[in-house]
Amino acid sequence: DQQVKQNSPSLSVQEGRISILNCDYTNSMFDYFLWYKKYPAEGPTFLISISSIKDKNEDGRFTVFLNKSAKHLSLHIVPSQPGDSAVYFCAASAKSGGSNYKLTFGKGTLLTVNP
Amino acid sequence: NAGVMQNPRHLVRRRGQEARLRCSPVKGHSHVYWYRQLPEEGLKFMVYLQKENIIDESGMPKERFSAEFPKEGPSILRIQQVVRGDSAAYFCASSPVPPGYNQPQHFGDGTRLSIL
């Protein structure tokens, strides 16, 4: 049972354009969401997060949007740069039960930004 | 490099041997987490440790797998009598504060375990 789903295995965009990566979740107890970026042979690097009390969080070129009613979040990268080419993982955790350290990851989306 | 350090980066074992994976958290972080990534999958939580304590090992197989985080030294993930299905990338993460605070976990570059 996959609780965090990234339905697009890959995405290709042109440099300078917007990249939109999507993530859906099924567990309504999730209240903290994160995006990680991963290059081959490296570990995931934290990008940006959002708490369920917000619907938007912005950090430079990266913005995460949360739609709780739809159980959907998205990561916007604008403008996209070739160095953004990587696998992007959506992750979620639930504070209830005291286990918010337990991150549940999606399978990832491979973003390719073409020069 | 003040990040999470994992070694070895690559480990090859034959079926039936033991695998030991080491993780040194970010300096000052006392909370360590282990995740496993199978091919074409996302990372899956295995175990959460604090110094000398296993807090949650609900994601770890009941047999052959064990983890520790001693008072001194790195955290160790140990897999006894490895089988082909143990082939995966094993990632360690650490955080500076206990659960209950919204703080991201910082990951190491992982150990790629291959079982022949």
Side-chain angles (χ1 to χ4, degrees):
Chain A
D1 176 32
Q2 207 177 343
Q3 298 186 66
V4 176
K5 298 178 185 178
Q6 293 178 257
N7 292 319
S8 297
S10 62
L11 174 68
S12 184
V13 299
Q14 284 299 118
E15 181 179 5
R17 300 287 185 102
I18 184 170
S19 295
I20 300 176
L21 297 103
N22 293 305
C23 178
D24 297 294
Y25 61 95
T26 57
N27 187 341
S28 57
M29 303 304 291
F30 286 149
D31 55 10
Y32 183 53
F33 304 89
L34 310 90
W35 285 94
Y36 283 86
K37 171 180 170 179
K38 185 180 180 303
Y39 293 117
E42 293 186 11
T45 302
F46 170 72
L47 266 180
I48 192 168
S49 63
I50 188 166
S51 167
S52 60
I53 61 173
K54 294 186 173 182
D55 54 20
K56 177 182 174 182
N57 189 23
E58 193 171 353
D59 183 1
R61 295 185 298 114
F62 302 92
T63 303
V64 56
F65 296 91
L66 176 62
N67 182 335
K68 282 179 293 185
S69 61
K71 295 193 179 69
H72 176 84
L73 63 155
S74 61
L75 174 68
H76 292 210
I77 307 173
V78 55
S80 301
Q81 300 173 353
D84 295 330
S85 298
V87 176
Y88 288 78
F89 288 99
C90 171
S93 67
K95 189 178 288 186
S96 65
S99 62
N100 67 334
Y101 49 81
K102 195 180 294 188
L103 296 180
T104 300
F105 282 83
K107 291 188 176 184
T109 296
L110 173 63
L111 173 66
T112 302
V113 180
N114 301 304
Chain B
N1 185 349
V4 176
M5 302 300 292
Q6 290 188 248
N7 69 82
R9 293 294 309 278
H10 301 274
L11 182 61
V12 179
R13 285 287 178 266
R14 297 190 180 280
R15 281 178 294 171
Q17 291 185 320
E18 177 180 289
R20 282 190 176 230
L21 288 62
R22 295 175 201 81
C23 168
S24 296
V26 174
K27 190 174 181 181
H29 288 193
S30 57
H31 304 267
V32 166
Y33 319 85
W34 285 91
Y35 290 80
R36 176 165 69 173
Q37 185 185 22
L38 296 170
E40 309 301 324
E41 297 287 327
L43 284 73
K44 288 193 168 27
F45 170 83
M46 297 181 75
V47 61
Y48 162 40
L49 309 110
Q50 294 179 20
K51 286 281 187 182
E52 300 184 277
N53 283 305
I54 297 174
I55 307 302
D56 182 349
E57 57 183 349
S58 61
M60 206 153 65
K62 295 282 186 283
E63 297 179 354
R64 303 187 298 108
F65 285 71
S66 62
E68 63 177 11
F69 188 17
K71 188 176 179 181
E72 301 290 339
S75 175
I76 306 285
L77 179 67
R78 183 181 177 206
I79 312 172
Q80 296 178 290
Q81 299 174 323
V82 296
V83 301
R84 287 242 169 91
D86 297 333
S87 296
Y90 291 83
F91 292 97
C92 172
S94 71
S95 67
V97 295
Y101 298 86
N102 286 337
Q103 284 281 331
Q105 294 172 15
H106 300 271
F107 284 83
D109 285 339
T111 294
R112 272 94 188 146
L113 175 64
S114 298
I115 309 302
L116 302 180

